[in-house]
């Protein structure tokens, strides 16, 4: 979840206070060009590795490289598909309005776009991350159901010392999730879809492990907010992810996991169904980051 990135967060606690106007007509020709450059580069980098549901979503929402998406237009297609809508926000927002919006089928998305100098890396999520990364899959009913359940679960977690577990679930599914496809895997996580560096790493670096998703493992596994992943988790389908997360109440799990140690993203554990054992090469010069494991 974006509030984990450690940047200034809008303090407002109500959804209404968070929502702004997009002012689509204010985007410059350079902004549209930047969108197009990023759009084409990501699809080329991840060629053959993007999950079909995501590609279908681009079509459903009429998202192209031609221009920065206009939220009013995009929302007409999105609402028709799953009842969701994207609401423009100024940047990172607090947990309560964030979860409330998701629970109400509203996705908060930034409106600014990075500069040409920031094509490769941007600390704060912009419209390219939020929309290109996240929104196409919101037109998929099973994924949309999962996101809504995630928002409802988030509100509950806030009252039961569970937010850090949901943040990990978000990290390893919505942001950096993979999906099993045939004997291979495909990408659906927004953090991979929208990042040139992470996309290249997933496509061609032998370092990371890929482990079959299972709930306890993901909820207990820490992550670094500012580096590539040591382990990715692959789901079977969005339906199975949704089922696994709604079949049992999370609140008792928080109590249980609060008594147990956090798991390392570097080590493979007994019980892991390993789809690919990574070389770990990238992480040899550990620690690479100055941040703490979440
Ligand atoms: Fe994100």
């Amino acid at each position: 979840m974006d509030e984990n990135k450690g940047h200034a967060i809008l303090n407002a606690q109500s959804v209404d206070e968070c929502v702004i106007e997009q002012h689509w007509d204010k985007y410059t020709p350079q902004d549209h060009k930047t969108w197009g450059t990023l759009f084409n580069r990501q699809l080329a980098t991840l060629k053959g590795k993007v999950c079909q549901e995501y590609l279908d979503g681009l079509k459903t929402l009429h998202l192209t490289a031609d221009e920065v998406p206009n939220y009013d237009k995009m929302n007409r297609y999105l609402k028709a598909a799953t009842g969701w809508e994207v609401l423009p926000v100024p940047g990172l927002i607090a947990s309560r309005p964030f979860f409330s919006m998701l629970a109400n089928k509203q996705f908060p998305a930034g409106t600014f776009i990075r500069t040409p100098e920031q094509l490769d890396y941007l600390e704060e999520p912009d419209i390219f991350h939020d929309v290109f990364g996240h929104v196409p899959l919101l037109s998929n009913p099973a994924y949309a159901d999962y996101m809504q359940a995630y928002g409802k679960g988030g509100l509950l977690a806030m009252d039961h010392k569970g937010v850090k577990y949901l943040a990990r679930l978000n990290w390893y599914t919505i942001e950096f999730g993979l999906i099993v496809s045939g004997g291979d895997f495909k990408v659906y996580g927004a953090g991979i879809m929208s990042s040139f560096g992470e996309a290249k790493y997933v496509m061609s670096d032998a370092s990371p492990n890929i482990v079959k998703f299972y709930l306890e493992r993901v909820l207990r596994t820490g992550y670094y907010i500012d580096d590539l992943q040591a382990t990715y988790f692959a789901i079977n389908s969005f339906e199975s992810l949704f089922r696994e997360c709604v079949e049992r109440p999370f609140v008792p799990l928080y109590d249980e996991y609060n008594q147990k140690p956090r798991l390392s993203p570097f080590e493979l554990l007994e019980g892991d169904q390993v789809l690919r054992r990574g070389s770990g090469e990238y992480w040899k010069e550990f620690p690479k980051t100055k941040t703490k494991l979440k």
Side-chain angles (χ1 to χ4, degrees):
M1 144 192 0
D2 294 331
E3 73 252 34
N4 287 315
K5 302 226 168 151
H7 296 280
I9 298 172
L10 185 69
N11 261 332
Q13 292 298 312
S14 81
V15 170
D16 284 351
E17 288 174 283
C18 296
V19 177
I20 59 171
E21 292 287 325
Q22 185 187 15
H23 293 300
W24 187 82
D25 52 333
K26 298 255 169 70
Y27 290 110
T28 65
Q30 178 59 58
D31 292 337
H32 294 298
K33 195 174 160 206
T34 298
W35 170 270
T37 302
L38 291 166
F39 186 106
N40 287 330
R41 186 171 74 165
Q42 286 307 104
L43 290 183
T45 305
L46 289 165
K47 195 169 173 49
K49 276 286 185 206
V50 180
C51 75
Q52 191 56 44
E53 292 89 339
Y54 177 94
L55 297 172
D56 292 344
L58 285 182
K59 284 208 187 87
T60 302
L61 302 181
H62 297 242
L63 291 175
T64 68
D66 296 346
E67 58 186 24
V68 173
N70 178 320
Y71 288 176
D72 288 338
K73 272 194 215 163
M74 182 174 71
N75 279 338
R76 272 181 246 143
Y77 300 117
L78 182 56
K79 273 189 184 162
T82 55
W84 276 71
E85 65 180 325
V86 170
L87 295 182
V89 295
L92 302 176
I93 62 171
S95 295
R96 192 166 294 282
F98 176 75
F99 290 135
S100 297
M101 287 171 87
L102 298 184
N104 288 312
K105 298 186 167 189
Q106 297 166 327
F107 186 78
T111 58
F112 82 97
I113 187 156
R114 66 196 74 185
T115 66
E117 292 74 39
Q118 296 170 312
L119 284 193
D120 288 349
Y121 184 72
L122 188 67
E123 289 193 337
E124 199 171 2
D126 68 344
I127 188 171
F128 186 72
H129 170 79
D130 283 344
V131 174
F132 184 85
H134 285 282
V135 177
L137 282 171
L138 290 171
S139 68
N140 176 278
Y143 183 91
D145 285 348
Y146 172 69
M147 282 293 269
Q148 185 178 21
Y150 182 84
K152 290 178 181 172
L155 290 171
L156 206 55
M158 289 190 74
D159 299 328
H160 293 90
K161 297 196 175 114
V163 171
K164 76 174 173 192
Y165 299 107
L166 279 206
R168 292 176 189 154
L169 179 62
N170 172 75
W171 193 261
Y172 286 120
T173 62
I174 295 162
E175 292 294 350
F176 294 100
L178 302 179
I179 186 165
V180 174
S181 174
D184 201 5
F185 68 88
K186 303 257 166 142
V187 170
Y188 74 89
I192 309 172
M193 285 308 309
S194 66
S195 157
F196 188 46
E198 192 107 16
K200 278 196 298 184
Y201 176 73
V202 167
M203 290 298 284
S204 56
D205 199 309
S207 295
N209 303 307
I210 302 176
V211 173
K212 202 77 169 282
F213 175 95
Y214 64 101
L215 195 59
E216 175 167 0
R217 172 66 146 113
V218 166
L219 294 186
R220 292 181 55 205
T221 300
Y223 61 91
Y224 291 100
I225 59 169
D226 58 351
D227 213 327
L228 303 166
Q229 313 313 307
T231 297
Y232 294 92
F233 293 94
I235 59 171
N236 282 328
S237 66
F238 295 123
E239 288 82 0
S240 68
L241 173 64
F242 174 71
R243 270 200 312 276
E244 207 171 329
C245 291
V246 296
E247 257 168 14
R248 52 183 159 165
F250 272 34
V251 172
L253 300 180
Y254 303 146
D255 294 337
E256 184 189 335
Y257 299 162
N258 276 327
Q259 314 298 320
K260 292 182 171 179
R262 177 176 52 209
L263 301 176
S264 160
F266 300 104
E267 289 150 32
L268 292 170
L269 308 175
E270 212 182 325
D272 281 351
Q273 214 179 315
V274 180
L275 301 176
R276 187 176 84 188
R277 185 175 293 271
S279 68
E281 187 66 29
Y282 174 81
W283 286 97
K284 272 198 177 136
E285 297 156 39
F286 183 80
K288 298 173 91 75
T289 94
K290 292 193 182 70
T291 58
K292 283 192 188 149
L293 200 57
K294 290 272 188 185

